[in-house]
Amino acid sequence: MYSLKVHKDTDKVIQLLKLCLYAGSNQAERIVGQYGEDPTRELLGIDEGGELAGVMGVQFLPDGTVVLAHLAVSESRRKQGIGTKLIKEFMTRYPEVLKLVVETDRDAVDFYRKAGFQVTSLGEKYPGVERFLCTLKP
């Protein structure tokens, strides 16, 4: 796992980020810029087979909580444990983290549950869309 703030292939980072966004590349470019400018944010990547296989974007809060804002794995590398590996390596690399939280939808909640997160329903935050708060403590 390594920081993507100075990654040589920004296009690959943007393509991966687009996988976890409901928007186009302009928003992904803006998000990459935010990670580069904001010292409370970190954009991390992991290589598999010599290529960027996954990205994880987080924001550190003053109380020891970290918000997992973005997690994406290359479509050709899914179902290989890369997302879980990113999370586990993150928690090992940052032992000061008291909890890692992410808000997600029904499509991804089982992934977080299998990765060891405690899951709480937030109810229907948007019409017809149930959201979940997932929390992982060391």
Side-chain angles (χ1 to χ4, degrees), residues 15-84:
Q15 292 305 314
L16 278 173
L17 269 179
K18 283 172 54 176
L19 295 173
C20 66
L21 299 172
Y22 295 109
S25 60
N26 287 345
Q27 183 181 3
E29 288 175 22
R30 185 177 53 76
I31 289 170
V32 169
Q34 288 173 343
Y35 281 109
E37 296 166 3
D38 186 344
T40 69
R41 294 177 184 257
E42 185 70 51
L43 186 60
L44 303 161
I46 193 166
D47 287 348
E48 293 288 327
E51 71 175 56
L52 182 63
V55 296
M56 178 179 180
V58 297
Q59 181 172 22
F60 293 85
L61 302 181
D63 68 355
T65 299
V66 175
V67 177
L68 175 54
H70 302 99
L71 182 65
V73 173
S74 171
E75 291 175 316
S76 66
R77 299 288 183 167
R78 290 188 180 164
K79 306 288 186 194
Q80 297 175 23
I82 293 170
T84 301

Side-chain angles (χ1 to χ4, degrees), residues 5 15 22-23 28-29 34 36-37 54 62 68 79 82 90 92 97 99 119 125 131-132 137:
K5 288 187 178 190
Q15 292 305 314
Y22 295 109
E29 288 175 22
Q34 288 173 343
E37 296 166 3
L68 175 54
K79 306 288 186 194
I82 293 170
F90 174 81
T92 300
V97 172
K99 66 181 173 180
V119 176
K125 286 186 75 174
R131 300 290 290 174
F132 299 89
K137 294 182 180 179

